[in-house]
Every structure is written in C-alpha cells, then in structure tokens.
C-alpha cells in the first residue's frame, strides 16, 4: 500500500516587483527631453520607478489641454527645485492625505478651494504662517520648532502655495 501526501503550498503573501531599468537622459526622444526638461539635471540619478512615472506623464502630455500642460510644467519645475529631504516630506504628506477617510479628504479639498479663492494678499499672509511653508523651508533654530499653533488650510495637509500643489501622481 502506497500513501501519497499532498502538501498545499500557500503562495507568498507579498512579492517585490522591481521596475525594469529605464532610459538615461540621452536615450530619451527629443520630445520626451523637451517635455521633461525641468527634470534633466536629476534624471540619471532618479530611481527607475520615478523615471517610469515621469515617462508616463510625458506620454500623456501631448493629449493634455494647454492649461494642464502649463500646470505640469510648473509642477515639474517646482519638484526639480526641491531638495531630496523636501521631496521626502512632500511624498509623506501626499501619502498621509491619501490615507484620510473620504470625508476628511473632501474637507481638505473644500478648504483648498476656499484658500485658492482668497485674494493674493490673504494667501500670502496665510503662507507666511503656514505649516507647509515651514515643512519646505530650510532648517531653522530647533528651539523655535513647533511654536506655531495657528490653524490654516495647510494644517489640514493642503499646500498653501498660490500655485497648484506639487503633487506627484505616481502615488510616489
């Protein structure tokens, strides 16, 4: 008599899937280099997943409306001007926003809309005392950190720049 034992093997609960190598700057098409020009300086040192995200944006770019193209160019320039630490903070804020319940996301969006409808002078006043401005500002005297408790749109996770927020769309 022969007994056969069948063992059920569970598939791994998680898998790490790497992003294949992406092209270096010189390997991009002239159109891609033109669209992604604000990122030229950092392109070759970017992680493959980030390059892939930007290449996806470059592919969609020609089909965007003029105002969307301008907003994308502005956001790329803003992103390119951030330090690595500032980029990490922006990614963290974006991740935190995406983890909010839908009601809180809606509240943040409403506050952002209210902020963008303010006169430029009022927006500037709020920016000067905002949490977001401090997040992206160079480090200051640590003894003064955390002394601002004024509630502004930025304390809800909304950027208080008078320009469109520099949000990455990769969920990166």
């Amino acid at each position: 008599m022969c007994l056969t034992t069948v063992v059920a093997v569970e598939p791994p609960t998680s898998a790490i899937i790497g992003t294949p190598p992406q092209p270096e700057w010189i390997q991009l098409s002239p159109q891609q280099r033109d669209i992604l020009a604000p990122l030229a300086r950092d392109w070759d040192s970017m992680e493959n997943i980030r390059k892939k995200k930007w290449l996806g944006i470059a592919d969609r770019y020609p089909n965007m409306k003029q105002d969307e193209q301008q907003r994308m160019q502005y956001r790329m320039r803003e992103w390119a001007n951030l330090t690595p630490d500032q980029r990490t903070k922006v990614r963290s804020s974006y991740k935190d926003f995406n983890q909010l319940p839908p009601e809180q996301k809606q509240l943040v969006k409403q506050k952002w809309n209210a902020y963008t409808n303010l006169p430029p002078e009022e927006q500037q006043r709020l920016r000067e005392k905002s949490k977001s401005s401090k997040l992206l500002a160079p480090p200051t005297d640590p003894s003064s950190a955390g002394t601002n408790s004024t509630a502004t749109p930025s304390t809800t996770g909304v950027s208080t720049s008078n320009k469109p927020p520099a949000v990455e769309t990769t969920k990166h």
Side-chain angles (χ1 to χ4, degrees):
M1 176 178 209
C2 180
L3 294 175
T4 306
T5 305
V6 177
V7 178
V9 178
E10 292 290 321
T13 57
S14 64
I16 298 174
I17 301 173
T19 303
Q22 299 296 307
E24 297 297 320
W25 183 257
I26 194 75
Q27 296 169 313
L28 298 179
S29 72
Q31 181 181 19
Q32 288 171 320
R33 285 194 303 261
D34 186 49
I35 293 167
L36 300 171
L39 307 173
R41 180 186 62 201
D42 298 321
W43 184 263
D44 289 338
S45 62
M46 277 186 200
E47 298 168 342
N48 287 326
I49 195 157
R50 307 249 185 264
K51 288 180 182 180
K52 184 175 181 179
K53 179 214 122 181
W54 287 114
L55 289 170
I57 290 170
D59 288 344
R60 293 188 306 273
Y61 188 88
N63 297 323
M64 292 178 182
K65 295 176 184 171
Q66 181 69 26
D67 64 322
E68 292 171 323
Q69 289 180 348
Q70 289 173 345
R71 186 172 53 246
M72 185 54 60
Q73 287 295 313
Y74 172 79
R75 289 179 178 174
M76 277 191 277
R77 284 190 304 274
E78 289 289 304
W79 186 255
N81 289 327
L82 295 177
T83 66
D85 186 50
Q86 290 170 327
R87 291 176 186 181
T88 299
K89 289 176 182 177
V90 169
R91 285 186 189 111
S92 177
S93 294
Y94 182 76
K95 181 181 171 187
D96 291 346
F97 174 78
N98 277 338
Q99 292 176 348
L100 290 174
E103 314 79 54
Q104 283 185 297
K105 282 185 182 179
Q106 187 60 36
L107 180 61
V108 169
K109 288 177 183 179
Q110 287 171 352
K111 287 184 178 188
W112 172 250
N113 288 334
Y115 168 79
T116 59
N117 289 322
L118 291 174
E121 305 79 33
E122 182 66 10
Q123 289 180 2
Q124 179 63 32
R125 186 185 68 74
L126 289 171
R127 274 195 308 278
E128 288 171 358
K129 63 181 192 177
S130 76
K131 179 179 170 185
S132 293
S133 294
K134 290 182 177 90
L135 274 176
L136 298 178
T140 59
D141 178 16
S143 64
S144 65
T147 58
N148 183 5
S149 61
T150 306
T152 66
S154 65
T155 62
T156 62
V158 175
S159 168
T160 55
S161 168
N162 63 347
K163 304 289 192 247
V167 174
E168 292 188 60
T169 57
T170 53
K171 319 318 182 213
H172 76 77

